[in-house]
Amino acid sequence: DTEVTQTPKHLVMGMTNKKSLKCEQHMGHRAMYWYKQKAKKPPELMFVYSYEKLSINESVPSRFSPECPNSSLLNLHLHALQPEDSALYLCASSSPIPGGELFFGEGSRLTVL
Amino acid sequence: AQSVTQPDIHITVSEGASLELRCNYSYGATPYLFWYVQSPGQGLQLLLKYFSGDTLVQGIKGFEAEFKRSQSSFNLRKPSVHWSDAAEYFCAVGAKAAGNKLTFGGGTRVLVKP
């Protein structure tokens, strides 16, 4: 059982839609992450939140908008996506100390038509 | 900046045989090193990690890894693989200066023959 829960598990959206991916953890972690993973590729870091503040943004296009409403929740708002944005989106959490182990959710598989 | 190389894209091993997955990293200071496993359509699960101290680390599912500073390597081993070990394996490096930003290697897909 994963301790990081992501919803939805699958999402299909058109290029004009607005949707959100959600992530929740109850391990008391104060760092949360969004990664994007294309097929047969490693995860690529998108955003890091530390103590609910955005600390790393890996030059992600503005059509992806992260939000951290509280220490347990992390959202990724999606708008005007492109077909090449289709991927597995992974959420992770960790202690914010350097070297803290990342705990990953099972991911949300996004398909953009 | 840190980087990770996993030289083997695919490895096929017979069930019961030993397995070794290679990982080479690049980082100026002592890195934090991790091995994660990913089954198809799943998230990543941590197998083991190295921060400091004993260079041979034990992980879950019978895996171990050895940190060799002189070779900038952190190879993963298992003495006897099971069919359930078929998966994608990722080596990752983190650095204190980079907070908790992990950089992943390209991954090695392990196929297990009966």
Side-chain angles (χ1 to χ4, degrees):
Chain A
D1 290 340
T2 181
E3 297 183 76
V4 177
T5 303
Q6 291 187 241
T7 56
K9 292 191 183 304
H10 300 275
L11 178 63
V12 179
M13 61 186 291
M15 289 189 286
T16 59
N17 292 158
K18 285 185 180 181
K19 297 286 185 182
S20 297
L21 305 180
K22 298 183 182 300
C23 176
E24 186 170 10
Q25 59 90 13
H26 294 290
M27 293 178 282
H29 290 160
R30 301 304 297 274
M32 296 187 76
Y33 311 75
W34 281 115
Y35 279 83
K36 174 182 178 180
Q37 186 179 27
K38 301 283 279 185
K40 302 185 187 303
K41 296 293 186 182
E44 296 177 348
L45 182 65
M46 300 175 72
F47 304 104
V48 181
Y49 274 83
S50 182
Y51 294 96
E52 295 87 69
K53 294 190 187 302
L54 185 64
S55 60
I56 295 177
N57 178 340
E58 292 287 343
S59 303
V60 178
S62 60
R63 57 185 183 269
F64 294 91
S65 175
E67 178 195 20
C68 190
N70 60 53
S71 60
S72 300
L73 295 174
L74 184 66
N75 299 322
L76 186 63
H77 302 299
L78 314 170
H79 174 54
L81 295 192
Q82 303 297 310
E84 59 265 28
D85 297 321
S86 298
L88 182 68
Y89 289 85
L90 293 164
C91 173
S93 70
S94 78
S95 164
I97 62 172
E101 168 189 343
L102 268 64
F103 290 81
F104 284 86
E106 294 190 347
S108 292
R109 184 161 299 282
L110 173 67
T111 302
V112 182
L113 301 177
Chain B
Q2 66 258 39
S3 67
V4 183
T5 302
Q6 294 180 244
D8 304 303
I9 298 175
H10 297 281
I11 285 183
T12 300
V13 61
S14 297
E15 192 169 14
S18 63
L19 174 68
E20 181 168 13
L21 304 182
R22 296 183 291 165
C23 172
N24 295 100
Y25 69 90
S26 174
Y27 182 62
T30 300
Y32 305 122
L33 293 163
F34 306 83
W35 274 101
Y36 282 86
V37 61
Q38 185 178 34
S39 297
Q42 301 293 310
L44 281 73
Q45 181 182 25
L46 181 72
L47 288 175
L48 46 78
K49 58 189 177 185
Y50 173 79
F51 291 166
S52 64
D54 193 345
T55 57
L56 184 64
V57 294
Q58 302 297 320
I60 63 171
K61 304 185 180 188
F63 285 93
E64 67 178 25
E66 186 172 13
F67 171 65
K68 292 186 176 180
R69 184 188 301 277
S70 62
Q71 299 177 19
S72 297
S73 69
F74 188 57
N75 294 347
L76 181 72
R77 298 192 292 256
K78 185 170 184 177
S80 176
V81 300
H82 186 263
W83 63 267
S84 59
D85 293 322
E88 187 87 23
Y89 291 78
F90 292 100
C91 182
V93 62
K96 184 175 182 180
N100 276 341
K101 178 179 176 178
L102 282 191
T103 299
F104 286 87
T108 299
R109 178 163 297 277
V110 173
L111 304 175
V112 180
K113 295 190 301 183

